[in-house]
Amino acid sequence: MTLPLNSRLLLTYAVFVLVAVSVALLSYYLFVLPGYAVIEEQDARHHMERVLSCIDREVVTLDRLVRDYAFWDDTYAFTQNGNETYLHSNFLDEMLIDNRLSSVAIFNAKGTLLFYKHLDLVTGVERPLDDSMYNEALAELGGGLIRPASGLLASDNGLQMVAARSIMTSDARGPVRGTLV
């Protein structure tokens, strides 16, 4: 039993299309798709490096601001005399909002908390000390810090950017009088 010519041509054409589609799909899965996966991975790595670089820049900026306040004769004197005028003139809500600082803490050389302010940057409302979030970190950074410390701190409220510096005179001398966080 022989098939008519039209049927044979149609069958040959169908087999050819099936083989061509199979070869195209096999080529795509073996050669093209892995190449795209490599490109996507490189792209994701590049974007991750950019994000990490941005975070690093923000941490450096925060550390510079903390250094400016920690190496200042007025802050140095405050740790000794507790002058309220220093606090009222330097830690206004506007200063915290403008510098995107949600919290600031000053410890004396013994690690005792002298001043703490926490501000909700969205609402501008001052919040009380959140013990669950800051107790360990502030206590650890607050007592006798010699080298600067900065980076990210994992807390119940998410990641927090933190910087801590020893409090010294404006020329970065003198015995350490405390820590600014």
Side-chain angles (χ1 to χ4, degrees):
M1 159 171 185
T2 28
L3 292 172
L5 184 61
N6 287 347
S7 297
R8 281 189 284 172
L9 285 173
L10 186 60
L11 185 60
T12 304
Y13 179 71
V15 168
F16 175 76
V17 168
L18 184 64
V19 169
V21 167
S22 298
V23 167
L25 285 174
L26 187 64
S27 298
Y28 176 75
Y29 282 110
L30 291 177
F31 303 111
V32 176
L33 196 58
Y36 279 120
V38 168
I39 290 170
E40 273 188 38
E41 183 179 329
Q42 290 172 345
D43 195 41
R45 190 177 312 277
H46 172 72
H47 288 300
M48 182 179 65
E49 288 170 359
R50 287 179 55 204
V51 167
L52 291 174
S53 177
C54 287
I55 291 171
D56 285 344
R57 276 194 309 272
E58 289 296 319
V59 169
V60 166
T61 301
L62 176 62
D63 184 58
R64 285 182 185 147
L65 181 66
V66 171
R67 182 194 62 214
D68 288 346
Y69 274 85
F71 294 173
W72 189 21
D73 290 338
D74 290 354
T75 306
Y76 193 80
F78 170 76
T79 60
Q80 299 302 301
N81 61 27
N83 185 354
E84 291 289 320
T85 305
Y86 165 80
L87 297 176
H88 296 301
S89 63
N90 292 294
F91 295 106
L92 300 169
D93 293 351
E94 293 80 17
M95 185 283 287
L96 294 174
I97 292 169
D98 289 347
N99 289 295
R100 298 181 321 233
L101 299 174
S102 60
S103 301
V104 64
I106 300 174
F107 294 87
N108 67 14
K110 294 177 183 173
T112 305
L113 184 63
L114 301 176
F115 170 73
Y116 177 80
K117 188 171 194 175
H118 177 67
L119 193 67
D120 184 327
L121 296 178
V122 176
T123 62
V125 175
E126 192 169 337
R127 301 283 184 206
L129 176 63
D130 183 359
D131 290 345
S132 66
M133 184 169 143
Y134 291 105
N135 243 2
E136 283 183 38
L138 293 179
E140 186 175 317
L141 294 173
L145 180 73
I146 301 300
R147 292 181 302 160
S150 61
L152 298 176
L153 172 70
S155 71
D156 294 338
N157 297 329
L159 286 176
Q160 303 290 319
M161 209 172 298
V162 178
R165 288 278 185 152
S166 298
I167 296 173
M168 293 189 269
T169 60
S170 295
D171 58 358
R173 295 181 191 233
V176 173
R177 295 286 186 201
T179 305
L180 180 68
V181 182

